[in-house]
Amino acid sequence: LSQPEILMIGPMMQMIEDQLDAAFTVHRHWQVDDFDALVDTVAPVIRGIATSHARPVDAALIDRLPNLEVISNFGVGYDTVDAAHAGSKGILVTNTPDVLTEEVADTAFGLLLMTVRELSAAERHLRAGKWSDGAYPLTRSSLRDRTMGILGLGRIGKAIARRAEASEVGVVYCGRSQQPDVDYRYYADLVDMARDVDILMSVIPGGAATQHIINAEVIEALGPQGILINVGRGSAVDEKALISALQSGALFAAGLDVFEHEPSVPDELMALNNAVLLPHVGSASVHTRDAMGQLVVDNLTGWFASKSVLTPVAETPVS
Ligand code: 8YV
């Protein structure tokens, strides 16, 4: 019995690769010198894709695979997959929501605390042997009497909001539309919200619709006491505008888990004391990455076993 053939845009976690190897004939994109030649050769037989974002699954690639049925994306964010194009051709796209919600919210809140209370700088002070010379300076910022504006109040945004409420931080939000089941104050306009809050928490996905949505005007509205935290996608922030605001003091501080051109981080950001920088670790625990990996596998095997997937994205609902 021949197994369905899939293209792996990877590499991926070993537990994913092992399970996919058991269920499918897997063509690995990174094991060939010439990706185009590989696609030309295997195009007619490829029925599925598993991707961890090593290269985009764009309209051009999708159009070259006439028998493609399903694209299984590692991560809740799927901005490297053209899901609208896939949907228009009846190709399913799946992602890995829910299983990472609390983990990413923990990271976001940790990053917020690190930024507001300068925890990584305080630890560097201790490790540099400076404690005996003097206490670490009192932080000029604090979560007390603060309001957080969440940009993108989805599942992760709501989990961050719950943590903020537990810390008695006020919560408001901005998004495409007001949510009827939510009591937090809604802003239709991001600049208006930025003007009113102390902390802007960005959880929005990447892609053309959100490119540089946090621009110079938003950053200026956040102001000299303002703090930006980004755990969504780096592309949502105009990194150049952010850097100049951090340099001039037009913005107080930033905590970033995501960047415009990962894994490269601009030297100007590296040089700033008022930026806390993490290497995109929002969901990066063994527990959570294993759960995400299992979803990548189960969506693919479910599709080929019984034409059902667990977590289709909004653009490609299962009919
Ligand atoms: C992953 C993420 O690090 O889920 C997401 O959207 O950004 C992270 O959990 C990323 O998808 C891994 O490639």
Side-chain angles (χ1 to χ4, degrees), residues 48-92:
I49 291 180
T51 177
S52 63
H53 318 281
R55 58 181 302 144
V57 181
D58 53 16
L61 177 58
I62 291 169
D63 287 345
R64 288 171 73 187
L65 306 172
N67 293 308
L68 185 62
E69 297 166 39
V70 59
I71 301 165
S72 182
N73 176 80
F74 182 80
V76 68
Y78 50 96
D79 44 300
T80 62
V81 177
D82 192 336
H85 189 72
S88 75
K89 302 186 79 173
I91 296 162
L92 263 177

mmCIF file of all heavy atoms in Angstrom, residues 48-92:
data_model
loop_
_atom_site.group_PDB
_atom_site.id
_atom_site.type_symbol
_atom_site.label_atom_id
_atom_site.label_comp_id
_atom_site.label_asym_id
_atom_site.label_seq_id
_atom_site.Cartn_x
_atom_site.Cartn_y
_atom_site.Cartn_z
ATOM 1 N N GLY A 48 0.212 16.759 0.661
ATOM 2 C CA GLY A 48 0.198 17.522 1.908
ATOM 3 C C GLY A 48 1.514 18.246 2.105
ATOM 4 O O GLY A 48 2.535 17.889 1.502
ATOM 5 N N ILE A 49 1.474 19.286 2.934
ATOM 6 C CA ILE A 49 2.695 19.997 3.328
ATOM 7 C C ILE A 49 2.708 20.096 4.854
ATOM 8 O O ILE A 49 1.667 20.362 5.470
ATOM 9 C CB ILE A 49 2.742 21.431 2.718
ATOM 10 C CG1 ILE A 49 2.929 21.370 1.195
ATOM 11 C CG2 ILE A 49 3.842 22.269 3.363
ATOM 12 C CD1 ILE A 49 2.976 22.751 0.520
ATOM 13 N N ALA A 50 3.874 19.870 5.440
ATOM 14 C CA ALA A 50 4.090 20.207 6.859
ATOM 15 C C ALA A 50 5.130 21.310 6.861
ATOM 16 O O ALA A 50 6.183 21.174 6.224
ATOM 17 C CB ALA A 50 4.603 18.997 7.622
ATOM 18 N N THR A 51 4.840 22.431 7.539
ATOM 19 C CA THR A 51 5.793 23.543 7.490
ATOM 20 C C THR A 51 6.107 24.128 8.854
ATOM 21 O O THR A 51 5.227 24.276 9.700
ATOM 22 C CB THR A 51 5.308 24.677 6.550
ATOM 23 O OG1 THR A 51 6.258 25.760 6.605
ATOM 24 C CG2 THR A 51 3.940 25.205 6.941
ATOM 25 N N SER A 52 7.388 24.439 9.035
ATOM 26 C CA SER A 52 7.818 25.182 10.217
ATOM 27 C C SER A 52 8.451 26.503 9.785
ATOM 28 O O SER A 52 9.346 27.020 10.434
ATOM 29 C CB SER A 52 8.790 24.362 11.053
ATOM 30 O OG SER A 52 9.963 24.107 10.315
ATOM 31 N N HIS A 53 8.007 27.019 8.647
ATOM 32 C CA HIS A 53 8.321 28.392 8.207
ATOM 33 C C HIS A 53 9.708 28.595 7.632
ATOM 34 O O HIS A 53 10.140 29.738 7.493
ATOM 35 C CB HIS A 53 8.142 29.421 9.341
ATOM 36 C CG HIS A 53 6.918 29.203 10.154
ATOM 37 N ND1 HIS A 53 5.673 29.596 9.711
ATOM 38 C CD2 HIS A 53 6.732 28.623 11.361
ATOM 39 C CE1 HIS A 53 4.786 29.270 10.627
ATOM 40 N NE2 HIS A 53 5.385 28.680 11.634
ATOM 41 N N ALA A 54 10.442 27.544 7.292
ATOM 42 C CA ALA A 54 11.795 27.748 6.765
ATOM 43 C C ALA A 54 11.756 28.501 5.440
ATOM 44 O O ALA A 54 12.711 29.191 5.094
ATOM 45 C CB ALA A 54 12.496 26.410 6.590
ATOM 46 N N ARG A 55 10.659 28.356 4.706
ATOM 47 C CA ARG A 55 10.434 29.174 3.522
ATOM 48 C C ARG A 55 8.935 29.305 3.330
ATOM 49 O O ARG A 55 8.162 28.502 3.838
ATOM 50 C CB ARG A 55 11.121 28.597 2.278
ATOM 51 C CG ARG A 55 10.697 27.187 1.934
ATOM 52 C CD ARG A 55 11.444 26.681 0.712
ATOM 53 N NE ARG A 55 11.215 27.563 -0.417
ATOM 54 C CZ ARG A 55 12.145 27.858 -1.340
ATOM 55 N NH1 ARG A 55 13.347 27.330 -1.259
ATOM 56 N NH2 ARG A 55 11.866 28.654 -2.343
ATOM 57 N N PRO A 56 8.485 30.361 2.625
ATOM 58 C CA PRO A 56 7.046 30.583 2.540
ATOM 59 C C PRO A 56 6.321 29.523 1.716
ATOM 60 O O PRO A 56 6.864 29.003 0.745
ATOM 61 C CB PRO A 56 6.933 31.962 1.860
ATOM 62 C CG PRO A 56 8.271 32.280 1.311
ATOM 63 C CD PRO A 56 9.280 31.435 1.999
ATOM 64 N N VAL A 57 5.114 29.211 2.142
ATOM 65 C CA VAL A 57 4.210 28.413 1.316
ATOM 66 C C VAL A 57 3.268 29.434 0.681
ATOM 67 O O VAL A 57 2.183 29.716 1.182
ATOM 68 C CB VAL A 57 3.455 27.359 2.154
ATOM 69 C CG1 VAL A 57 2.533 26.535 1.263
ATOM 70 C CG2 VAL A 57 4.449 26.446 2.883
ATOM 71 N N ASP A 58 3.758 30.033 -0.406
ATOM 72 C CA ASP A 58 3.036 31.141 -1.025
ATOM 73 C C ASP A 58 2.180 30.638 -2.190
ATOM 74 O O ASP A 58 2.172 29.436 -2.507
ATOM 75 C CB ASP A 58 4.013 32.231 -1.465
ATOM 76 C CG ASP A 58 5.132 31.683 -2.345
ATOM 77 O OD1 ASP A 58 5.008 30.545 -2.861
ATOM 78 O OD2 ASP A 58 6.136 32.392 -2.523
ATOM 79 N N ALA A 59 1.480 31.592 -2.827
ATOM 80 C CA ALA A 59 0.578 31.218 -3.922
ATOM 81 C C ALA A 59 1.334 30.486 -5.033
ATOM 82 O O ALA A 59 0.836 29.508 -5.598
ATOM 83 C CB ALA A 59 -0.121 32.458 -4.468
ATOM 84 N N ALA A 60 2.558 30.958 -5.312
ATOM 85 C CA ALA A 60 3.326 30.346 -6.406
ATOM 86 C C ALA A 60 3.620 28.874 -6.115
ATOM 87 O O ALA A 60 3.466 28.010 -6.998
ATOM 88 C CB ALA A 60 4.629 31.119 -6.611
ATOM 89 N N LEU A 61 4.013 28.572 -4.879
ATOM 90 C CA LEU A 61 4.296 27.170 -4.537
ATOM 91 C C LEU A 61 3.010 26.348 -4.560
ATOM 92 O O LEU A 61 2.973 25.235 -5.099
ATOM 93 C CB LEU A 61 4.985 27.091 -3.157
ATOM 94 C CG LEU A 61 5.270 25.677 -2.643
ATOM 95 C CD1 LEU A 61 6.154 24.885 -3.611
ATOM 96 C CD2 LEU A 61 5.931 25.719 -1.256
ATOM 97 N N ILE A 62 1.953 26.903 -3.954
ATOM 98 C CA ILE A 62 0.669 26.187 -3.916
ATOM 99 C C ILE A 62 0.212 25.851 -5.343
ATOM 100 O O ILE A 62 -0.230 24.738 -5.634
ATOM 101 C CB ILE A 62 -0.388 27.033 -3.166
ATOM 102 C CG1 ILE A 62 -0.029 27.096 -1.670
ATOM 103 C CG2 ILE A 62 -1.799 26.474 -3.378
ATOM 104 C CD1 ILE A 62 -0.836 28.118 -0.870
ATOM 105 N N ASP A 63 0.377 26.815 -6.265
ATOM 106 C CA ASP A 63 -0.080 26.614 -7.648
ATOM 107 C C ASP A 63 0.736 25.563 -8.396
ATOM 108 O O ASP A 63 0.286 25.027 -9.404
ATOM 109 C CB ASP A 63 -0.043 27.945 -8.414
ATOM 110 C CG ASP A 63 -1.169 28.874 -7.980
ATOM 111 O OD1 ASP A 63 -2.125 28.385 -7.325
ATOM 112 O OD2 ASP A 63 -1.089 30.083 -8.284
ATOM 113 N N ARG A 64 1.932 25.295 -7.892
ATOM 114 C CA ARG A 64 2.762 24.280 -8.567
ATOM 115 C C ARG A 64 2.420 22.856 -8.126
ATOM 116 O O ARG A 64 2.971 21.898 -8.668
ATOM 117 C CB ARG A 64 4.252 24.554 -8.286
ATOM 118 C CG ARG A 64 4.763 25.792 -9.029
ATOM 119 C CD ARG A 64 6.154 26.158 -8.578
ATOM 120 N NE ARG A 64 7.174 25.222 -9.081
ATOM 121 C CZ ARG A 64 8.452 25.267 -8.698
ATOM 122 N NH1 ARG A 64 8.843 26.167 -7.817
ATOM 123 N NH2 ARG A 64 9.316 24.403 -9.190
ATOM 124 N N LEU A 65 1.548 22.738 -7.125
ATOM 125 C CA LEU A 65 1.235 21.408 -6.581
ATOM 126 C C LEU A 65 -0.240 21.072 -6.861
ATOM 127 O O LEU A 65 -1.112 21.335 -6.040
ATOM 128 C CB LEU A 65 1.532 21.382 -5.075
ATOM 129 C CG LEU A 65 2.959 21.807 -4.683
ATOM 130 C CD1 LEU A 65 3.108 21.931 -3.173
ATOM 131 C CD2 LEU A 65 3.994 20.831 -5.249
ATOM 132 N N PRO A 66 -0.521 20.475 -8.007
ATOM 133 C CA PRO A 66 -1.911 20.314 -8.451
ATOM 134 C C PRO A 66 -2.734 19.373 -7.568
ATOM 135 O O PRO A 66 -3.970 19.452 -7.592
ATOM 136 C CB PRO A 66 -1.772 19.740 -9.867
ATOM 137 C CG PRO A 66 -0.414 19.112 -9.909
ATOM 138 C CD PRO A 66 0.446 19.937 -8.990
ATOM 139 N N ASN A 67 -2.090 18.516 -6.815
ATOM 140 C CA ASN A 67 -2.852 17.564 -6.004
ATOM 141 C C ASN A 67 -2.741 17.838 -4.506
ATOM 142 O O ASN A 67 -3.014 16.963 -3.675
ATOM 143 C CB ASN A 67 -2.417 16.132 -6.331
ATOM 144 C CG ASN A 67 -2.821 15.785 -7.756
ATOM 145 O OD1 ASN A 67 -3.980 15.946 -8.137
ATOM 146 N ND2 ASN A 67 -1.856 15.364 -8.560
ATOM 147 N N LEU A 68 -2.366 19.078 -4.180
ATOM 148 C CA LEU A 68 -2.241 19.453 -2.767
ATOM 149 C C LEU A 68 -3.622 19.533 -2.116
ATOM 150 O O LEU A 68 -4.551 20.123 -2.679
ATOM 151 C CB LEU A 68 -1.533 20.811 -2.673
ATOM 152 C CG LEU A 68 -1.203 21.315 -1.265
ATOM 153 C CD1 LEU A 68 -0.247 20.361 -0.553
ATOM 154 C CD2 LEU A 68 -0.584 22.720 -1.326
ATOM 155 N N GLU A 69 -3.750 18.908 -0.916
ATOM 156 C CA GLU A 69 -5.041 18.911 -0.215
ATOM 157 C C GLU A 69 -4.977 19.650 1.113
ATOM 158 O O GLU A 69 -5.966 20.212 1.572
ATOM 159 C CB GLU A 69 -5.486 17.455 0.069
ATOM 160 C CG GLU A 69 -5.728 16.623 -1.170
ATOM 161 C CD GLU A 69 -5.833 15.138 -0.847
ATOM 162 O OE1 GLU A 69 -6.433 14.769 0.191
ATOM 163 O OE2 GLU A 69 -5.292 14.324 -1.635
ATOM 164 N N VAL A 70 -3.818 19.612 1.777
ATOM 165 C CA VAL A 70 -3.757 20.126 3.145
ATOM 166 C C VAL A 70 -2.359 20.656 3.468
ATOM 167 O O VAL A 70 -1.356 20.106 3.009
ATOM 168 C CB VAL A 70 -4.195 19.010 4.147
ATOM 169 C CG1 VAL A 70 -3.297 17.795 4.035
ATOM 170 C CG2 VAL A 70 -4.244 19.512 5.578
ATOM 171 N N ILE A 71 -2.321 21.757 4.225
ATOM 172 C CA ILE A 71 -1.057 22.357 4.676
ATOM 173 C C ILE A 71 -1.115 22.439 6.202
ATOM 174 O O ILE A 71 -1.987 23.110 6.759
ATOM 175 C CB ILE A 71 -0.869 23.778 4.097
ATOM 176 C CG1 ILE A 71 -0.888 23.747 2.567
ATOM 177 C CG2 ILE A 71 0.425 24.416 4.630
ATOM 178 C CD1 ILE A 71 -1.069 25.131 1.924
ATOM 179 N N SER A 72 -0.213 21.729 6.873
ATOM 180 C CA SER A 72 -0.213 21.691 8.335
ATOM 181 C C SER A 72 0.921 22.576 8.846
ATOM 182 O O SER A 72 2.096 22.299 8.615
ATOM 183 C CB SER A 72 -0.032 20.242 8.802
ATOM 184 O OG SER A 72 -0.067 20.159 10.207
ATOM 185 N N ASN A 73 0.542 23.659 9.520
ATOM 186 C CA ASN A 73 1.488 24.690 9.940
ATOM 187 C C ASN A 73 1.859 24.536 11.413
ATOM 188 O O ASN A 73 0.976 24.442 12.278
ATOM 189 C CB ASN A 73 0.829 26.060 9.710
ATOM 190 C CG ASN A 73 1.678 27.217 10.192
ATOM 191 O OD1 ASN A 73 2.607 27.627 9.517
ATOM 192 N ND2 ASN A 73 1.344 27.755 11.359
ATOM 193 N N PHE A 74 3.169 24.524 11.698
ATOM 194 C CA PHE A 74 3.641 24.482 13.085
ATOM 195 C C PHE A 74 3.626 25.897 13.641
ATOM 196 O O PHE A 74 4.369 26.760 13.200
ATOM 197 C CB PHE A 74 5.068 23.919 13.125
ATOM 198 C CG PHE A 74 5.631 23.787 14.514
ATOM 199 C CD1 PHE A 74 5.287 22.724 15.324
ATOM 200 C CD2 PHE A 74 6.510 24.736 15.020
ATOM 201 C CE1 PHE A 74 5.801 22.605 16.606
ATOM 202 C CE2 PHE A 74 7.030 24.620 16.301
ATOM 203 C CZ PHE A 74 6.676 23.550 17.096
ATOM 204 N N GLY A 75 2.752 26.145 14.619
ATOM 205 C CA GLY A 75 2.619 27.492 15.189
ATOM 206 C C GLY A 75 1.189 27.968 15.030
ATOM 207 O O GLY A 75 0.480 27.552 14.109
ATOM 208 N N VAL A 76 0.765 28.822 15.951
ATOM 209 C CA VAL A 76 -0.574 29.397 15.816
ATOM 210 C C VAL A 76 -0.553 30.449 14.708
ATOM 211 O O VAL A 76 -1.526 30.628 13.975
ATOM 212 C CB VAL A 76 -1.089 29.970 17.163
ATOM 213 C CG1 VAL A 76 -0.299 31.196 17.616
ATOM 214 C CG2 VAL A 76 -2.560 30.311 17.083
ATOM 215 N N GLY A 77 0.577 31.142 14.558
ATOM 216 C CA GLY A 77 0.729 32.135 13.493
ATOM 217 C C GLY A 77 1.072 31.435 12.192
ATOM 218 O O GLY A 77 1.933 30.559 12.161
ATOM 219 N N TYR A 78 0.384 31.816 11.116
ATOM 220 C CA TYR A 78 0.631 31.147 9.828
ATOM 221 C C TYR A 78 0.835 32.179 8.731
ATOM 222 O O TYR A 78 0.399 31.996 7.591
ATOM 223 C CB TYR A 78 -0.496 30.164 9.497
ATOM 224 C CG TYR A 78 -1.900 30.724 9.606
ATOM 225 C CD1 TYR A 78 -2.575 31.201 8.495
ATOM 226 C CD2 TYR A 78 -2.553 30.753 10.838
ATOM 227 C CE1 TYR A 78 -3.857 31.713 8.598
ATOM 228 C CE2 TYR A 78 -3.834 31.272 10.955
ATOM 229 C CZ TYR A 78 -4.471 31.745 9.832
ATOM 230 O OH TYR A 78 -5.745 32.260 9.942
ATOM 231 N N ASP A 79 1.541 33.265 9.078
ATOM 232 C CA ASP A 79 1.760 34.334 8.110
ATOM 233 C C ASP A 79 2.693 33.936 6.971
ATOM 234 O O ASP A 79 2.762 34.631 5.962
ATOM 235 C CB ASP A 79 2.270 35.611 8.805
ATOM 236 C CG ASP A 79 3.336 35.324 9.842
ATOM 237 O OD1 ASP A 79 3.046 34.585 10.802
ATOM 238 O OD2 ASP A 79 4.462 35.827 9.700
ATOM 239 N N THR A 80 3.404 32.812 7.087
ATOM 240 C CA THR A 80 4.234 32.370 5.960
ATOM 241 C C THR A 80 3.456 31.474 4.995
ATOM 242 O O THR A 80 3.999 31.010 4.000
ATOM 243 C CB THR A 80 5.496 31.612 6.432
ATOM 244 O OG1 THR A 80 5.085 30.433 7.128
ATOM 245 C CG2 THR A 80 6.357 32.481 7.352
ATOM 246 N N VAL A 81 2.180 31.228 5.319
ATOM 247 C CA VAL A 81 1.335 30.419 4.432
ATOM 248 C C VAL A 81 0.261 31.330 3.837
ATOM 249 O O VAL A 81 -0.389 32.073 4.570
ATOM 250 C CB VAL A 81 0.649 29.271 5.215
ATOM 251 C CG1 VAL A 81 -0.287 28.481 4.306
ATOM 252 C CG2 VAL A 81 1.685 28.358 5.865
ATOM 253 N N ASP A 82 0.079 31.274 2.523
ATOM 254 C CA ASP A 82 -0.988 32.071 1.902
ATOM 255 C C ASP A 82 -2.302 31.305 2.050
ATOM 256 O O ASP A 82 -2.743 30.590 1.138
ATOM 257 C CB ASP A 82 -0.662 32.366 0.434
ATOM 258 C CG ASP A 82 -1.597 33.420 -0.148
ATOM 259 O OD1 ASP A 82 -2.720 33.574 0.381
ATOM 260 O OD2 ASP A 82 -1.208 34.078 -1.125
ATOM 261 N N ALA A 83 -2.923 31.472 3.230
ATOM 262 C CA ALA A 83 -4.121 30.689 3.559
ATOM 263 C C ALA A 83 -5.313 31.113 2.702
ATOM 264 O O ALA A 83 -6.147 30.279 2.341
ATOM 265 C CB ALA A 83 -4.448 30.833 5.038
ATOM 266 N N ALA A 84 -5.390 32.398 2.363
ATOM 267 C CA ALA A 84 -6.513 32.848 1.537
ATOM 268 C C ALA A 84 -6.443 32.188 0.159
ATOM 269 O O ALA A 84 -7.456 31.717 -0.371
ATOM 270 C CB ALA A 84 -6.497 34.371 1.405
ATOM 271 N N HIS A 85 -5.224 32.126 -0.392
ATOM 272 C CA HIS A 85 -5.065 31.485 -1.703
ATOM 273 C C HIS A 85 -5.379 29.990 -1.609
ATOM 274 O O HIS A 85 -6.081 29.433 -2.455
ATOM 275 C CB HIS A 85 -3.651 31.713 -2.218
ATOM 276 C CG HIS A 85 -3.464 31.274 -3.626
ATOM 277 N ND1 HIS A 85 -4.008 31.947 -4.690
ATOM 278 C CD2 HIS A 85 -2.824 30.191 -4.153
ATOM 279 C CE1 HIS A 85 -3.703 31.311 -5.814
ATOM 280 N NE2 HIS A 85 -2.984 30.240 -5.512
ATOM 281 N N ALA A 86 -4.870 29.357 -0.551
ATOM 282 C CA ALA A 86 -5.164 27.930 -0.352
ATOM 283 C C ALA A 86 -6.670 27.727 -0.270
ATOM 284 O O ALA A 86 -7.234 26.843 -0.929
ATOM 285 C CB ALA A 86 -4.467 27.422 0.913
ATOM 286 N N GLY A 87 -7.323 28.570 0.533
ATOM 287 C CA GLY A 87 -8.771 28.446 0.716
ATOM 288 C C GLY A 87 -9.526 28.586 -0.598
ATOM 289 O O GLY A 87 -10.485 27.851 -0.852
ATOM 290 N N SER A 88 -9.059 29.511 -1.447
ATOM 291 C CA SER A 88 -9.749 29.735 -2.728
ATOM 292 C C SER A 88 -9.649 28.514 -3.639
ATOM 293 O O SER A 88 -10.434 28.361 -4.569
ATOM 294 C CB SER A 88 -9.182 30.971 -3.431
ATOM 295 O OG SER A 88 -7.919 30.668 -3.997
ATOM 296 N N LYS A 89 -8.671 27.652 -3.358
ATOM 297 C CA LYS A 89 -8.514 26.446 -4.175
ATOM 298 C C LYS A 89 -9.012 25.186 -3.455
ATOM 299 O O LYS A 89 -8.784 24.067 -3.907
ATOM 300 C CB LYS A 89 -7.032 26.253 -4.537
ATOM 301 C CG LYS A 89 -6.444 27.452 -5.275
ATOM 302 C CD LYS A 89 -5.043 27.181 -5.757
ATOM 303 C CE LYS A 89 -5.055 26.343 -7.034
ATOM 304 N NZ LYS A 89 -3.702 26.209 -7.618
ATOM 305 N N GLY A 90 -9.659 25.404 -2.302
ATOM 306 C CA GLY A 90 -10.196 24.264 -1.564
ATOM 307 C C GLY A 90 -9.142 23.464 -0.816
ATOM 308 O O GLY A 90 -9.357 22.311 -0.452
ATOM 309 N N ILE A 91 -7.973 24.092 -0.594
ATOM 310 C CA ILE A 91 -6.896 23.407 0.146
ATOM 311 C C ILE A 91 -6.980 23.845 1.607
ATOM 312 O O ILE A 91 -7.041 25.036 1.902
ATOM 313 C CB ILE A 91 -5.522 23.777 -0.450
ATOM 314 C CG1 ILE A 91 -5.427 23.274 -1.899
ATOM 315 C CG2 ILE A 91 -4.393 23.230 0.416
ATOM 316 C CD1 ILE A 91 -4.327 23.932 -2.712
ATOM 317 N N LEU A 92 -6.977 22.875 2.503
ATOM 318 C CA LEU A 92 -7.100 23.175 3.933
ATOM 319 C C LEU A 92 -5.764 23.642 4.505
ATOM 320 O O LEU A 92 -4.715 23.114 4.148
ATOM 321 C CB LEU A 92 -7.461 21.904 4.680
ATOM 322 C CG LEU A 92 -8.920 21.627 5.009
ATOM 323 C CD1 LEU A 92 -8.998 20.264 5.680
ATOM 324 C CD2 LEU A 92 -9.456 22.700 5.929
#
